[in-house]
Amino acid sequence: MKSTAHAFKDNIGEALRDANLQQSLSIMKVGFVERRRGAVDRMPEFEALRDRARDIKNHALANLDFYLERFERKVLALGGHVHWAPTAEDARRIVLDLCRQANARTVAKSKSMIAEEIGLNEHLEAHGIAPIETDLGEYIIQLRQEPPSHIIAPAVHLTKDQVADTFHEHHGKLGFTRRLTERNDLVAEAREVLRRKFQEADVGITGANFLVAETGSSMLVTNEGNADLSNTLPDTHIVIASIEKVIPTLEDAAALLRVLARSATGQEWSSYTTFNTGPRRDGDPDGPRSYHVVLLDNGRSSVLGGEMQDMLRCIRCGACMNHCPVYGAIGGHAYGWVYPGPIGAVLDPQLLGLEEAGDLPNASTFCGRCESVCPVRIPLPRLMRHWREREFERRLTPPAVRKALGLWAFLAKRPRLYRVATGIANRALALFGRAQGRYDALPLAGGWTKHRDMPAPQTGGTFHAQWKARGGAVR
Amino acid sequence: MRQPQRPGAGLDVALFVTCLVDMFRPSVGFAAARLLEDAGCRVVVPEAQTCCGQPAYNSGDRADAVDIARRVIEAFEGYDHVVAPSGSCGGMIAHHYPALFADDPAMKARAEALAARTHELTTFLVDVLGVAPPAVRCEATATYHDSCSGLRELGVKAQPRKLLAGVEGLTLVEMKGAEICCGFGGTFCVKYPDISNAMLDDKLADIEATGADTLLAGDLGCLLNMAGKLQREGRPVKVRHVAEVIAGMADEPAIGEPAP
């Protein structure tokens, strides 16, 4: 996926003016939050489980080489194949080669943000292979040629009417000529279309929520069963997963699953939970004859051992974006790349560079709601602050901001001068603002007064001046 | 009638005024001082204090943040407690200062010692001193906004409500998204004014839905932000810092109201 993170400021304006988007967001930011709260309220040990989930991921990350090698050995022993992809380009090449070996013309795809990260669909299409998204949300945005706007609900930005229009436009040539308006009818039509695609597919490509080192399994959760069809019907199954998805044991997977769906959609458990362990064995009624796992690094190993390592704990539940008031105002597309919201503000600068994605970690009030719901306790505001510090060091912070900050810091370190400056500012603002009580425009404060008035200070001088005048203790 | 209690008798408390209170709303500082003095504390306002360094810290200017934090630590050592009428500045000192000195064990120990003694005003009154709700009057139907840093870094939630419950004539009506950010976020609101405005719109809708005539919070930044938008839109809600109400000082013009 091509990034527009550099155009974040323009993207914001577009998002705020998009009435359909705003309508969808107003539903989303209430629904997801309430459902999660319900699920958490029903589970008294939820906070303890978050600690456990964090510890499992931390342990796996601290011993990542060990568990990845163990995972690889298991997959090989089961008759599968493991491919190591240091970069996005490597991963694209490996997947294309595997599709060519299978003489694939159609590929059924399910549940993979990694595929978006490496731009897999475009790559396959450019080489004459048709990837079909089989997750309903992904399928809708594929028809509309849009990127996902959320990591678990890729079409959450669309209204039902927009989906109805999209299906009506694209399904006509398949014999579905009526424009449907009911939710269930739309789902039923998509199901019918997709069933045909599943049967045509030569290769199934899925992501993985977890890779289990103990058994060599890749694990997937879905609510539609589409992943199960993608990985059992075609003869070849390719799993693409990033290296930090590996965890030690099945028991660990069970623990992580307990927080995943609850955090994401407020479900106790997702509708489908599938463990894929190697290719079809003798006597198996179904399953792929050839099974491949592509392990993508794409810069992640360079984060290991550093102060940003915590970001690799992410289990892609989307709770941070569901609760982020900034995401709730502008939606996912404005972030300009695969991973939006708070986790995107942390991951995207790592994967794209600060020059491209530097706005994202700045577009946060540090309200901390993301961290308070993260099932693996990623300190998202701290990680965003880390990027702001790198940006400041590299002088990427806008000069006017640097100047203003510098002046404030200069004063903050000189109490006497600070008193003089704040005293003057206080008196001037209080004097001219006393009649109205506020300002509707102020020089140099356009960012503030664009949408709101600036309250004038109380009259009578600064607190420090008044405290001293009253003879208060100052030491 | 205010009934002074003395659970803080003999305690030396340094007041961290906060730069916004100092410049925009000194009555919040005086309300905090009154509440502490009524509880029996000796209140000192160290002269060397300026700002907690949060603007620098949150903007990535770690060097200046460390410098300012060092000065704050020096200015506030030697008191039994440090109290700020702000969860944000209190959180900066109590939650973030120790992390600023990760590579300097001596300073880190001093930062941790200060952090342990630093409190947001209402949590200090309720959790540390055990002050009972004050006997003051304020005729209002009020709603309370939970400012993010105080709420999530220091657990400020029940304490201001407990104190407000004692205010005669005041009815507290909870708003729906009380724990959702108002869009202030320090420099965020001027760097991304349009997102901030969208967040404010949601907040104002939640405030309006309560029917409250008064909006209260414990952080002046959020209050200035919300007041500025309420007034831009001509909404008649009065905006005050919670300390002013519980100190019986709600007779001042509200934030953004003309001076008499």
PDB file of all heavy atoms in Angstrom, chain A residues 108-115 133-135 138 151-154 205-209 219-224 226-227 230 240 245 260 270 272 315-316:
ATOM      1  N   ALA A 108      -7.318 -16.951  -3.202  1.00  0.00           N
ATOM      2  CA  ALA A 108      -8.270 -16.536  -2.167  1.00  0.00           C
ATOM      3  C   ALA A 108      -7.481 -16.017  -0.976  1.00  0.00           C
ATOM      4  O   ALA A 108      -6.596 -16.700  -0.469  1.00  0.00           O
ATOM      5  CB  ALA A 108      -9.133 -17.713  -1.752  1.00  0.00           C
ATOM      6  N   LYS A 109      -7.793 -14.791  -0.575  1.00  0.00           N
ATOM      7  CA  LYS A 109      -7.008 -14.172   0.506  1.00  0.00           C
ATOM      8  C   LYS A 109      -7.883 -13.902   1.709  1.00  0.00           C
ATOM      9  O   LYS A 109      -9.047 -13.536   1.582  1.00  0.00           O
ATOM     10  CB  LYS A 109      -6.427 -12.846   0.017  1.00  0.00           C
ATOM     11  CG  LYS A 109      -5.139 -13.016  -0.748  1.00  0.00           C
ATOM     12  CD  LYS A 109      -4.491 -11.653  -0.968  1.00  0.00           C
ATOM     13  CE  LYS A 109      -4.091 -10.996   0.326  1.00  0.00           C
ATOM     14  NZ  LYS A 109      -4.442  -9.601   0.391  1.00  0.00           N
ATOM     15  N   SER A 110      -7.279 -14.075   2.868  1.00  0.00           N
ATOM     16  CA  SER A 110      -8.052 -13.848   4.072  1.00  0.00           C
ATOM     17  C   SER A 110      -7.167 -13.312   5.184  1.00  0.00           C
ATOM     18  O   SER A 110      -6.100 -13.853   5.440  1.00  0.00           O
ATOM     19  CB  SER A 110      -8.676 -15.167   4.514  1.00  0.00           C
ATOM     20  OG  SER A 110      -9.173 -15.063   5.812  1.00  0.00           O
ATOM     21  N   LYS A 111      -7.643 -12.254   5.830  1.00  0.00           N
ATOM     22  CA  LYS A 111      -7.069 -11.839   7.109  1.00  0.00           C
ATOM     23  C   LYS A 111      -5.571 -11.604   7.099  1.00  0.00           C
ATOM     24  O   LYS A 111      -4.812 -12.354   7.708  1.00  0.00           O
ATOM     25  CB  LYS A 111      -7.353 -12.919   8.157  1.00  0.00           C
ATOM     26  CG  LYS A 111      -8.774 -13.002   8.606  1.00  0.00           C
ATOM     27  CD  LYS A 111      -9.109 -11.918   9.572  1.00  0.00           C
ATOM     28  CE  LYS A 111      -8.405 -12.125  10.908  1.00  0.00           C
ATOM     29  NZ  LYS A 111      -8.795 -11.103  11.858  1.00  0.00           N
ATOM     30  N   SER A 112      -5.128 -10.613   6.417  1.00  0.00           N
ATOM     31  CA  SER A 112      -3.706 -10.323   6.539  1.00  0.00           C
ATOM     32  C   SER A 112      -3.416  -8.843   6.374  1.00  0.00           C
ATOM     33  O   SER A 112      -3.598  -8.279   5.298  1.00  0.00           O
ATOM     34  CB  SER A 112      -2.899 -11.102   5.508  1.00  0.00           C
ATOM     35  OG  SER A 112      -1.557 -10.689   5.592  1.00  0.00           O
ATOM     36  N   MET A 113      -2.983  -8.215   7.470  1.00  0.00           N
ATOM     37  CA  MET A 113      -2.511  -6.839   7.354  1.00  0.00           C
ATOM     38  C   MET A 113      -1.133  -6.815   6.715  1.00  0.00           C
ATOM     39  O   MET A 113      -0.738  -5.840   6.084  1.00  0.00           O
ATOM     40  CB  MET A 113      -2.459  -6.170   8.741  1.00  0.00           C
ATOM     41  CG  MET A 113      -3.808  -5.966   9.390  1.00  0.00           C
ATOM     42  SD  MET A 113      -4.982  -5.056   8.379  1.00  0.00           S
ATOM     43  CE  MET A 113      -4.238  -3.439   8.317  1.00  0.00           C
ATOM     44  N   ILE A 114      -0.407  -7.928   6.908  1.00  0.00           N
ATOM     45  CA  ILE A 114       0.929  -8.006   6.321  1.00  0.00           C
ATOM     46  C   ILE A 114       0.855  -7.875   4.803  1.00  0.00           C
ATOM     47  O   ILE A 114       1.690  -7.235   4.169  1.00  0.00           O
ATOM     48  CB  ILE A 114       1.602  -9.351   6.677  1.00  0.00           C
ATOM     49  CG1 ILE A 114       1.760  -9.498   8.173  1.00  0.00           C
ATOM     50  CG2 ILE A 114       2.950  -9.483   5.996  1.00  0.00           C
ATOM     51  CD1 ILE A 114       2.629  -8.467   8.792  1.00  0.00           C
ATOM     52  N   ALA A 115      -0.183  -8.498   4.217  1.00  0.00           N
ATOM     53  CA  ALA A 115      -0.338  -8.410   2.763  1.00  0.00           C
ATOM     54  C   ALA A 115      -0.504  -6.953   2.339  1.00  0.00           C
ATOM     55  O   ALA A 115       0.014  -6.539   1.301  1.00  0.00           O
ATOM     56  CB  ALA A 115      -1.535  -9.239   2.320  1.00  0.00           C
ATOM     57  N   GLU A 133     -10.242 -10.963  -2.130  1.00  0.00           N
ATOM     58  CA  GLU A 133     -10.389 -10.824  -0.679  1.00  0.00           C
ATOM     59  C   GLU A 133     -11.668 -11.536  -0.260  1.00  0.00           C
ATOM     60  O   GLU A 133     -12.725 -11.321  -0.852  1.00  0.00           O
ATOM     61  CB  GLU A 133     -10.450  -9.354  -0.285  1.00  0.00           C
ATOM     62  CG  GLU A 133      -9.137  -8.587  -0.510  1.00  0.00           C
ATOM     63  CD  GLU A 133      -8.014  -9.051   0.404  1.00  0.00           C
ATOM     64  OE1 GLU A 133      -8.287  -9.789   1.378  1.00  0.00           O
ATOM     65  OE2 GLU A 133      -6.852  -8.683   0.136  1.00  0.00           O
ATOM     66  N   THR A 134     -11.593 -12.365   0.767  1.00  0.00           N
ATOM     67  CA  THR A 134     -12.751 -13.166   1.139  1.00  0.00           C
ATOM     68  C   THR A 134     -13.382 -12.739   2.461  1.00  0.00           C
ATOM     69  O   THR A 134     -14.470 -13.195   2.808  1.00  0.00           O
ATOM     70  CB  THR A 134     -12.363 -14.652   1.261  1.00  0.00           C
ATOM     71  OG1 THR A 134     -11.403 -14.784   2.306  1.00  0.00           O
ATOM     72  CG2 THR A 134     -11.776 -15.149  -0.045  1.00  0.00           C
ATOM     73  N   ASP A 135     -12.712 -11.864   3.193  1.00  0.00           N
ATOM     74  CA  ASP A 135     -13.318 -11.262   4.377  1.00  0.00           C
ATOM     75  C   ASP A 135     -14.298 -10.208   3.857  1.00  0.00           C
ATOM     76  O   ASP A 135     -13.949  -9.448   2.948  1.00  0.00           O
ATOM     77  CB  ASP A 135     -12.208 -10.628   5.226  1.00  0.00           C
ATOM     78  CG  ASP A 135     -12.736  -9.871   6.424  1.00  0.00           C
ATOM     79  OD1 ASP A 135     -13.174  -8.714   6.264  1.00  0.00           O
ATOM     80  OD2 ASP A 135     -12.681 -10.429   7.527  1.00  0.00           O
ATOM     81  N   GLU A 138     -12.946  -6.677   3.761  1.00  0.00           N
ATOM     82  CA  GLU A 138     -11.855  -6.558   2.790  1.00  0.00           C
ATOM     83  C   GLU A 138     -12.394  -6.644   1.365  1.00  0.00           C
ATOM     84  O   GLU A 138     -11.920  -5.974   0.454  1.00  0.00           O
ATOM     85  CB  GLU A 138     -10.819  -7.676   2.999  1.00  0.00           C
ATOM     86  CG  GLU A 138      -9.950  -7.524   4.234  1.00  0.00           C
ATOM     87  CD  GLU A 138      -8.810  -6.525   4.048  1.00  0.00           C
ATOM     88  OE1 GLU A 138      -8.656  -5.979   2.937  1.00  0.00           O
ATOM     89  OE2 GLU A 138      -8.095  -6.271   5.029  1.00  0.00           O
ATOM     90  N   ILE A 151      -7.870  -2.066  11.357  1.00  0.00           N
ATOM     91  CA  ILE A 151      -7.169  -3.338  11.199  1.00  0.00           C
ATOM     92  C   ILE A 151      -8.064  -4.559  11.415  1.00  0.00           C
ATOM     93  O   ILE A 151      -7.743  -5.644  10.975  1.00  0.00           O
ATOM     94  CB  ILE A 151      -5.902  -3.438  12.081  1.00  0.00           C
ATOM     95  CG1 ILE A 151      -6.248  -3.358  13.549  1.00  0.00           C
ATOM     96  CG2 ILE A 151      -4.887  -2.380  11.683  1.00  0.00           C
ATOM     97  CD1 ILE A 151      -5.066  -3.668  14.459  1.00  0.00           C
ATOM     98  N   ILE A 152      -9.199  -4.399  12.107  1.00  0.00           N
ATOM     99  CA  ILE A 152     -10.091  -5.558  12.204  1.00  0.00           C
ATOM    100  C   ILE A 152     -11.425  -5.319  11.496  1.00  0.00           C
ATOM    101  O   ILE A 152     -12.186  -6.251  11.290  1.00  0.00           O
ATOM    102  CB  ILE A 152     -10.362  -5.986  13.665  1.00  0.00           C
ATOM    103  CG1 ILE A 152     -11.056  -4.857  14.432  1.00  0.00           C
ATOM    104  CG2 ILE A 152      -9.095  -6.416  14.362  1.00  0.00           C
ATOM    105  CD1 ILE A 152     -11.865  -5.373  15.593  1.00  0.00           C
ATOM    106  N   ALA A 153     -11.727  -4.100  11.185  1.00  0.00           N
ATOM    107  CA  ALA A 153     -12.988  -3.775  10.505  1.00  0.00           C
ATOM    108  C   ALA A 153     -12.645  -2.853   9.340  1.00  0.00           C
ATOM    109  O   ALA A 153     -12.862  -1.649   9.407  1.00  0.00           O
ATOM    110  CB  ALA A 153     -13.947  -3.097  11.480  1.00  0.00           C
ATOM    111  N   PRO A 154     -12.114  -3.464   8.253  1.00  0.00           N
ATOM    112  CA  PRO A 154     -11.527  -2.636   7.193  1.00  0.00           C
ATOM    113  C   PRO A 154     -12.508  -1.692   6.503  1.00  0.00           C
ATOM    114  O   PRO A 154     -12.097  -0.683   5.963  1.00  0.00           O
ATOM    115  CB  PRO A 154     -10.980  -3.668   6.197  1.00  0.00           C
ATOM    116  CG  PRO A 154     -11.562  -4.978   6.581  1.00  0.00           C
ATOM    117  CD  PRO A 154     -11.919  -4.898   8.018  1.00  0.00           C
ATOM    118  N   ILE A 205      -4.212 -17.649   0.587  1.00  0.00           N
ATOM    119  CA  ILE A 205      -3.216 -16.908   1.379  1.00  0.00           C
ATOM    120  C   ILE A 205      -3.914 -16.361   2.609  1.00  0.00           C
ATOM    121  O   ILE A 205      -4.947 -15.691   2.498  1.00  0.00           O
ATOM    122  CB  ILE A 205      -2.611 -15.741   0.575  1.00  0.00           C
ATOM    123  CG1 ILE A 205      -1.880 -16.273  -0.668  1.00  0.00           C
ATOM    124  CG2 ILE A 205      -1.651 -14.935   1.452  1.00  0.00           C
ATOM    125  CD1 ILE A 205      -1.248 -15.173  -1.517  1.00  0.00           C
ATOM    126  N   THR A 206      -3.382 -16.676   3.768  1.00  0.00           N
ATOM    127  CA  THR A 206      -3.936 -16.116   5.002  1.00  0.00           C
ATOM    128  C   THR A 206      -2.830 -15.478   5.820  1.00  0.00           C
ATOM    129  O   THR A 206      -1.644 -15.745   5.626  1.00  0.00           O
ATOM    130  CB  THR A 206      -4.596 -17.193   5.883  1.00  0.00           C
ATOM    131  OG1 THR A 206      -3.575 -18.072   6.380  1.00  0.00           O
ATOM    132  CG2 THR A 206      -5.634 -18.005   5.135  1.00  0.00           C
ATOM    133  N   GLY A 207      -3.233 -14.639   6.730  1.00  0.00           N
ATOM    134  CA  GLY A 207      -2.303 -14.116   7.725  1.00  0.00           C
ATOM    135  C   GLY A 207      -2.257 -15.101   8.890  1.00  0.00           C
ATOM    136  O   GLY A 207      -2.600 -16.276   8.743  1.00  0.00           O
ATOM    137  N   ALA A 208      -1.828 -14.607  10.045  1.00  0.00           N
ATOM    138  CA  ALA A 208      -1.841 -15.433  11.247  1.00  0.00           C
ATOM    139  C   ALA A 208      -1.947 -14.504  12.441  1.00  0.00           C
ATOM    140  O   ALA A 208      -1.271 -13.483  12.491  1.00  0.00           O
ATOM    141  CB  ALA A 208      -0.566 -16.262  11.362  1.00  0.00           C
ATOM    142  N   ASN A 209      -2.825 -14.845  13.370  1.00  0.00           N
ATOM    143  CA  ASN A 209      -2.853 -14.075  14.604  1.00  0.00           C
ATOM    144  C   ASN A 209      -1.679 -14.468  15.497  1.00  0.00           C
ATOM    145  O   ASN A 209      -1.065 -13.620  16.140  1.00  0.00           O
ATOM    146  CB  ASN A 209      -4.164 -14.290  15.349  1.00  0.00           C
ATOM    147  CG  ASN A 209      -5.320 -13.623  14.643  1.00  0.00           C
ATOM    148  OD1 ASN A 209      -5.879 -14.179  13.714  1.00  0.00           O
ATOM    149  ND2 ASN A 209      -5.630 -12.407  15.044  1.00  0.00           N
ATOM    150  N   MET A 219      -2.189 -19.742  13.661  1.00  0.00           N
ATOM    151  CA  MET A 219      -3.525 -19.650  14.243  1.00  0.00           C
ATOM    152  C   MET A 219      -4.245 -18.426  13.738  1.00  0.00           C
ATOM    153  O   MET A 219      -3.646 -17.367  13.618  1.00  0.00           O
ATOM    154  CB  MET A 219      -3.371 -19.585  15.761  1.00  0.00           C
ATOM    155  CG  MET A 219      -4.594 -20.000  16.504  1.00  0.00           C
ATOM    156  SD  MET A 219      -4.924 -18.765  17.738  1.00  0.00           S
ATOM    157  CE  MET A 219      -5.639 -17.516  16.731  1.00  0.00           C
ATOM    158  N   LEU A 220      -5.520 -18.572  13.437  1.00  0.00           N
ATOM    159  CA  LEU A 220      -6.312 -17.485  12.867  1.00  0.00           C
ATOM    160  C   LEU A 220      -7.665 -17.388  13.545  1.00  0.00           C
ATOM    161  O   LEU A 220      -8.297 -18.412  13.807  1.00  0.00           O
ATOM    162  CB  LEU A 220      -6.593 -17.783  11.397  1.00  0.00           C
ATOM    163  CG  LEU A 220      -5.711 -17.158  10.319  1.00  0.00           C
ATOM    164  CD1 LEU A 220      -6.200 -17.665   8.977  1.00  0.00           C
ATOM    165  CD2 LEU A 220      -5.778 -15.648  10.372  1.00  0.00           C
ATOM    166  N   VAL A 221      -8.118 -16.182  13.812  1.00  0.00           N
ATOM    167  CA  VAL A 221      -9.494 -15.999  14.269  1.00  0.00           C
ATOM    168  C   VAL A 221     -10.258 -15.208  13.207  1.00  0.00           C
ATOM    169  O   VAL A 221      -9.719 -14.276  12.618  1.00  0.00           O
ATOM    170  CB  VAL A 221      -9.590 -15.265  15.623  1.00  0.00           C
ATOM    171  CG1 VAL A 221      -8.917 -16.069  16.712  1.00  0.00           C
ATOM    172  CG2 VAL A 221      -8.992 -13.874  15.546  1.00  0.00           C
ATOM    173  N   THR A 222     -11.493 -15.607  12.975  1.00  0.00           N
ATOM    174  CA  THR A 222     -12.372 -14.837  12.093  1.00  0.00           C
ATOM    175  C   THR A 222     -13.793 -14.974  12.613  1.00  0.00           C
ATOM    176  O   THR A 222     -14.078 -15.800  13.486  1.00  0.00           O
ATOM    177  CB  THR A 222     -12.389 -15.344  10.628  1.00  0.00           C
ATOM    178  OG1 THR A 222     -13.081 -16.602  10.573  1.00  0.00           O
ATOM    179  CG2 THR A 222     -10.987 -15.519  10.075  1.00  0.00           C
ATOM    180  N   ASN A 223     -14.668 -14.136  12.074  1.00  0.00           N
ATOM    181  CA  ASN A 223     -16.075 -14.263  12.417  1.00  0.00           C
ATOM    182  C   ASN A 223     -16.898 -14.762  11.249  1.00  0.00           C
ATOM    183  O   ASN A 223     -18.106 -14.890  11.357  1.00  0.00           O
ATOM    184  CB  ASN A 223     -16.623 -12.910  12.895  1.00  0.00           C
ATOM    185  CG  ASN A 223     -16.289 -12.701  14.361  1.00  0.00           C
ATOM    186  OD1 ASN A 223     -16.302 -13.644  15.149  1.00  0.00           O
ATOM    187  ND2 ASN A 223     -15.954 -11.484  14.729  1.00  0.00           N
ATOM    188  N   GLU A 224     -16.232 -15.002  10.132  1.00  0.00           N
ATOM    189  CA  GLU A 224     -17.001 -15.361   8.941  1.00  0.00           C
ATOM    190  C   GLU A 224     -16.661 -16.745   8.411  1.00  0.00           C
ATOM    191  O   GLU A 224     -17.307 -17.230   7.479  1.00  0.00           O
ATOM    192  CB  GLU A 224     -16.737 -14.321   7.843  1.00  0.00           C
ATOM    193  CG  GLU A 224     -17.177 -12.922   8.250  1.00  0.00           C
ATOM    194  CD  GLU A 224     -16.650 -11.835   7.331  1.00  0.00           C
ATOM    195  OE1 GLU A 224     -16.314 -12.152   6.177  1.00  0.00           O
ATOM    196  OE2 GLU A 224     -16.546 -10.686   7.776  1.00  0.00           O
ATOM    197  N   ASN A 226     -14.307 -17.436   6.633  1.00  0.00           N
ATOM    198  CA  ASN A 226     -13.695 -17.280   5.318  1.00  0.00           C
ATOM    199  C   ASN A 226     -12.253 -17.790   5.293  1.00  0.00           C
ATOM    200  O   ASN A 226     -11.792 -18.309   4.283  1.00  0.00           O
ATOM    201  CB  ASN A 226     -13.756 -15.823   4.882  1.00  0.00           C
ATOM    202  CG  ASN A 226     -13.193 -14.880   5.920  1.00  0.00           C
ATOM    203  OD1 ASN A 226     -13.569 -14.930   7.089  1.00  0.00           O
ATOM    204  ND2 ASN A 226     -12.275 -14.042   5.520  1.00  0.00           N
ATOM    205  N   ALA A 227     -11.581 -17.672   6.425  1.00  0.00           N
ATOM    206  CA  ALA A 227     -10.204 -18.165   6.460  1.00  0.00           C
ATOM    207  C   ALA A 227     -10.181 -19.679   6.306  1.00  0.00           C
ATOM    208  O   ALA A 227      -9.331 -20.234   5.615  1.00  0.00           O
ATOM    209  CB  ALA A 227      -9.528 -17.762   7.770  1.00  0.00           C
ATOM    210  N   SER A 230     -10.490 -20.448   2.773  1.00  0.00           N
ATOM    211  CA  SER A 230      -9.287 -20.060   2.022  1.00  0.00           C
ATOM    212  C   SER A 230      -8.167 -21.065   2.214  1.00  0.00           C
ATOM    213  O   SER A 230      -7.332 -21.255   1.342  1.00  0.00           O
ATOM    214  CB  SER A 230      -8.786 -18.693   2.472  1.00  0.00           C
ATOM    215  OG  SER A 230      -9.786 -17.720   2.316  1.00  0.00           O
ATOM    216  N   ILE A 240       1.256 -15.826   5.517  1.00  0.00           N
ATOM    217  CA  ILE A 240       2.262 -14.770   5.647  1.00  0.00           C
ATOM    218  C   ILE A 240       2.093 -14.118   7.020  1.00  0.00           C
ATOM    219  O   ILE A 240       0.983 -13.741   7.406  1.00  0.00           O
ATOM    220  CB  ILE A 240       2.197 -13.723   4.511  1.00  0.00           C
ATOM    221  CG1 ILE A 240       0.761 -13.268   4.264  1.00  0.00           C
ATOM    222  CG2 ILE A 240       2.776 -14.286   3.224  1.00  0.00           C
ATOM    223  CD1 ILE A 240       0.694 -12.185   3.198  1.00  0.00           C
ATOM    224  N   LYS A 245       4.950 -12.553  15.584  1.00  0.00           N
ATOM    225  CA  LYS A 245       3.703 -13.270  15.880  1.00  0.00           C
ATOM    226  C   LYS A 245       3.953 -14.605  16.579  1.00  0.00           C
ATOM    227  O   LYS A 245       3.010 -15.272  16.993  1.00  0.00           O
ATOM    228  CB  LYS A 245       2.941 -13.516  14.575  1.00  0.00           C
ATOM    229  CG  LYS A 245       2.377 -12.259  13.915  1.00  0.00           C
ATOM    230  CD  LYS A 245       1.163 -11.762  14.664  1.00  0.00           C
ATOM    231  CE  LYS A 245       0.631 -10.455  14.113  1.00  0.00           C
ATOM    232  NZ  LYS A 245      -0.223 -10.636  12.976  1.00  0.00           N
ATOM    233  N   LEU A 260      -7.981 -11.293  23.199  1.00  0.00           N
ATOM    234  CA  LEU A 260      -8.045 -10.738  21.839  1.00  0.00           C
ATOM    235  C   LEU A 260      -9.458 -10.311  21.430  1.00  0.00           C
ATOM    236  O   LEU A 260      -9.713  -9.141  21.150  1.00  0.00           O
ATOM    237  CB  LEU A 260      -7.475 -11.758  20.843  1.00  0.00           C
ATOM    238  CG  LEU A 260      -7.521 -11.367  19.369  1.00  0.00           C
ATOM    239  CD1 LEU A 260      -6.758 -10.076  19.115  1.00  0.00           C
ATOM    240  CD2 LEU A 260      -6.945 -12.476  18.479  1.00  0.00           C
ATOM    241  N   SER A 270     -13.993 -15.369  19.309  1.00  0.00           N
ATOM    242  CA  SER A 270     -14.410 -15.129  17.934  1.00  0.00           C
ATOM    243  C   SER A 270     -15.154 -16.366  17.410  1.00  0.00           C
ATOM    244  O   SER A 270     -15.011 -17.463  17.949  1.00  0.00           O
ATOM    245  CB  SER A 270     -13.202 -14.813  17.054  1.00  0.00           C
ATOM    246  OG  SER A 270     -12.194 -15.752  17.292  1.00  0.00           O
ATOM    247  N   TYR A 272     -14.840 -18.186  14.738  1.00  0.00           N
ATOM    248  CA  TYR A 272     -13.982 -19.262  14.234  1.00  0.00           C
ATOM    249  C   TYR A 272     -12.560 -19.074  14.762  1.00  0.00           C
ATOM    250  O   TYR A 272     -12.015 -17.975  14.697  1.00  0.00           O
ATOM    251  CB  TYR A 272     -13.932 -19.253  12.698  1.00  0.00           C
ATOM    252  CG  TYR A 272     -15.269 -19.497  12.047  1.00  0.00           C
ATOM    253  CD1 TYR A 272     -16.165 -18.439  11.855  1.00  0.00           C
ATOM    254  CD2 TYR A 272     -15.636 -20.780  11.635  1.00  0.00           C
ATOM    255  CE1 TYR A 272     -17.394 -18.652  11.258  1.00  0.00           C
ATOM    256  CE2 TYR A 272     -16.869 -20.999  11.039  1.00  0.00           C
ATOM    257  CZ  TYR A 272     -17.750 -19.936  10.851  1.00  0.00           C
ATOM    258  OH  TYR A 272     -18.955 -20.156  10.262  1.00  0.00           O
ATOM    259  N   ILE A 315      -1.132  -7.381  19.346  1.00  0.00           N
ATOM    260  CA  ILE A 315      -1.823  -8.562  18.807  1.00  0.00           C
ATOM    261  C   ILE A 315      -2.933  -8.145  17.846  1.00  0.00           C
ATOM    262  O   ILE A 315      -3.823  -8.942  17.527  1.00  0.00           O
ATOM    263  CB  ILE A 315      -2.365  -9.482  19.923  1.00  0.00           C
ATOM    264  CG1 ILE A 315      -3.331  -8.726  20.847  1.00  0.00           C
ATOM    265  CG2 ILE A 315      -1.216 -10.096  20.727  1.00  0.00           C
ATOM    266  CD1 ILE A 315      -4.074  -9.637  21.832  1.00  0.00           C
ATOM    267  N   ARG A 316      -2.896  -6.905  17.377  1.00  0.00           N
ATOM    268  CA  ARG A 316      -3.790  -6.433  16.311  1.00  0.00           C
ATOM    269  C   ARG A 316      -5.269  -6.594  16.650  1.00  0.00           C
ATOM    270  O   ARG A 316      -6.036  -7.119  15.844  1.00  0.00           O
ATOM    271  CB  ARG A 316      -3.490  -7.179  15.003  1.00  0.00           C
ATOM    272  CG  ARG A 316      -2.038  -7.159  14.552  1.00  0.00           C
ATOM    273  CD  ARG A 316      -1.627  -5.804  14.030  1.00  0.00           C
ATOM    274  NE  ARG A 316      -0.325  -5.870  13.373  1.00  0.00           N
ATOM    275  CZ  ARG A 316       0.844  -5.649  13.973  1.00  0.00           C
ATOM    276  NH1 ARG A 316       0.880  -5.315  15.261  1.00  0.00           N
ATOM    277  NH2 ARG A 316       1.980  -5.712  13.295  1.00  0.00           N
TER     278      ARG A 316
END
